[in-house]
Amino acid sequence: GGSFAARCALGDEEGEILETVDVQVAGRSAAHSAAEQIAELYRLGRLEAYFIGYVIDSFLRPPSPVAPAPAHHRRWAVISANTNTEYAFYLPIVALVWEQRMGYRPLALLVGEEWSNPDPQSRAGVVKATLLQVNAKVEVIPSSGFNTAALAQVSRLYACLVSGVEDQDYLLTSDADLIPLSREHFSSSRDWEKSIHLYNPFCCAPLFE
C-alpha cells in the first residue's frame, strides 16, 4: 500500500505560483517512476521548485509485526550530531521513533568533548540523558581539532567500529532531524539476504536493483 504524490510549482521571482503540475502514482514500486517525471519536468524548465510528499498509509494503521531478520542480525539506526544543540535536540525524539515504532535500536554518535560530562541542566545534558532513557546506545567521539559538523557526518560510516556492534549486525544511517514513518518500509520490505542497501537522493527508490 501507499502512494507517491508530488506537486511541482512554477513561480516568479516574487514567489507567486504561476503553474502547478501534480504527479501521483499509486503503489510503492512506482515511486521511482514519479521521481523520473519530476526530474524530467525540472530538466525541461517547466518548474523551478518542487515539494514532494510521500503518503504512507501504513503509518495510519497500527504497527505491523517487524519482519524477522536472521537470528545473528541486530538492527541499528545510526544518527549523529555535534555540539550544535539546536540540531541535536531532535535526537531523542528521532531515537524514540526508531526504537519503539521501527524496531531499530538507535546508535547516537555525539561529536565533541562537551558531550562527555555535560551539565545535567544544560540542553546537551538533557539530550544525552533522554537518549539513554529511550534505550539509545550513546558513543562520544572527541573532535580533536577537526570540523565537528563534518566529523559527525562521516562518523556514521564507521559505526561498525563501535563497541557492541557485531560483524553481522545491520546498520542504517539516518539523520538526527529525520523521523521515519513506515515500519513496513524499514522492516518487512527489506531483502535481508543483501549485504547492503543503497538509495538515491529521492529517498524512495533503490539506486541498484
Side-chain angles (χ1 to χ4, degrees):
S3 63
F4 183 92
R7 168 158 292 178
C8 307
L10 174 63
D12 57 21
E13 294 181 355
E14 302 298 324
E16 181 179 354
I17 296 177
L18 305 177
E19 178 186 359
T20 62
V21 179
D22 291 333
V23 177
Q24 185 163 353
V25 185
R28 192 179 307 278
S29 62
H32 185 61
S33 174
E36 288 180 335
Q37 293 178 50
I38 295 169
E40 180 65 12
L41 288 169
Y42 190 83
R43 187 185 69 80
L44 295 174
R46 291 194 58 193
L47 61 107
E48 296 178 357
Y50 53 86
F51 172 77
I52 298 176
Y54 187 31
V55 183
I56 306 170
D57 53 19
S58 62
F59 181 67
L60 303 178
R61 301 192 301 267
S64 56
V66 174
H72 57 280
H73 281 294
R74 284 185 298 175
R75 299 169 180 171
W76 300 90
V78 184
I79 50 182
S80 64
N82 62 0
T83 53
N84 177 0
T85 52
E86 290 188 3
Y87 179 75
F89 189 78
Y90 297 107
L91 280 170
I93 302 171
V94 173
L96 181 66
V97 177
W98 278 114
E99 168 73 16
Q100 294 195 3
R101 187 165 186 87
M102 301 297 129
Y104 285 67
R105 187 178 179 193
L107 172 54
L109 306 177
L110 305 179
V111 176
E113 289 78 1
E114 295 90 335
W115 289 108
S116 297
N117 189 27
D119 181 346
Q121 301 302 317
S122 68
R123 184 177 290 187
V126 171
V127 167
K128 186 177 180 181
T130 309
L131 280 170
L132 296 172
Q133 289 176 11
V134 299
N135 196 36
K137 181 176 178 60
V138 175
E139 186 77 11
V140 175
I141 303 174
S143 59
S144 305
F146 292 100
N147 181 308
T148 58
L151 189 56
Q153 293 173 331
V154 174
S155 65
R156 293 172 297 178
L157 303 178
Y158 298 90
C160 59
L161 301 177
V162 173
S163 175
V165 177
E166 303 297 334
D167 291 344
Q168 298 301 317
D169 286 354
Y170 184 86
L171 294 98
L172 179 150
T173 57
S174 190
D175 295 330
D177 58 353
L178 191 156
I179 298 178
L181 299 179
S182 173
R183 186 184 182 94
E184 179 185 1
H185 176 71
F186 292 106
S187 298
S188 60
S189 62
R190 296 274 160 159
D191 182 354
W192 296 106
E193 297 302 318
K194 291 185 177 181
S195 300
I196 187 171
H197 296 89
L198 300 177
Y199 289 83
N200 68 12
F202 284 99
C203 305
C204 300
L207 182 61
F208 299 115
E209 295 296 341

